[in-house]
Amino acid sequence: LSMISAQKIQSLVEKAMPGSRVEAEDTTGTNDHFQVLVVSPSFEGKGMVERHRMIYGILGSEVGGAIHALSLKTLTPSEAEKRS
């Protein structure tokens, strides 16, 4: 059984989307349920489904494999600013 860590998710997304801020959290302590926040200029002009597809594309076979549950929050830098 393969395992993945929050750090690994974070580095995969950061590598694939330079300039992004990524926060990944293991929500259960079992390395298979994660909450991930990605703030990226790459999301400008894209809808939520398209943004999520981008992240699923990066994580590939880990989703449904090592990752059983993935909760995504995908924001542009300006959306993130409005929230804080």
Side-chain angles (χ1 to χ4, degrees):
L1 184 70
S2 71
M3 296 291 267
I4 191 166
S5 65
Q7 287 76 17
K8 173 88 169 144
I9 291 173
Q10 200 167 325
S11 73
L12 284 169
V13 176
E14 284 170 350
K15 214 173 279 157
M17 299 174 74
S20 302
R21 179 165 63 89
V22 184
E23 292 170 24
E25 184 191 348
D26 178 350
T27 56
T28 57
T30 52
N31 285 327
D32 59 0
H33 291 68
F34 296 95
Q35 191 168 320
V36 181
L37 166 70
V38 183
V39 178
S40 175
S42 312
F43 294 143
E44 289 293 348
K46 292 181 170 62
M48 194 178 79
V49 171
E50 203 174 341
R51 295 174 184 192
H52 286 197
R53 272 201 198 114
M54 288 166 73
I55 304 302
Y56 281 115
I58 293 164
L59 299 176
S61 62
E62 299 289 359
V63 178
I67 301 171
H68 295 178
L70 185 61
S71 162
L72 292 176
K73 252 193 194 80
T74 51
L75 304 168
T76 63
S78 61
E79 290 167 345
E81 249 169 60
K82 283 182 201 133
R83 290 184 51 190
S84 58

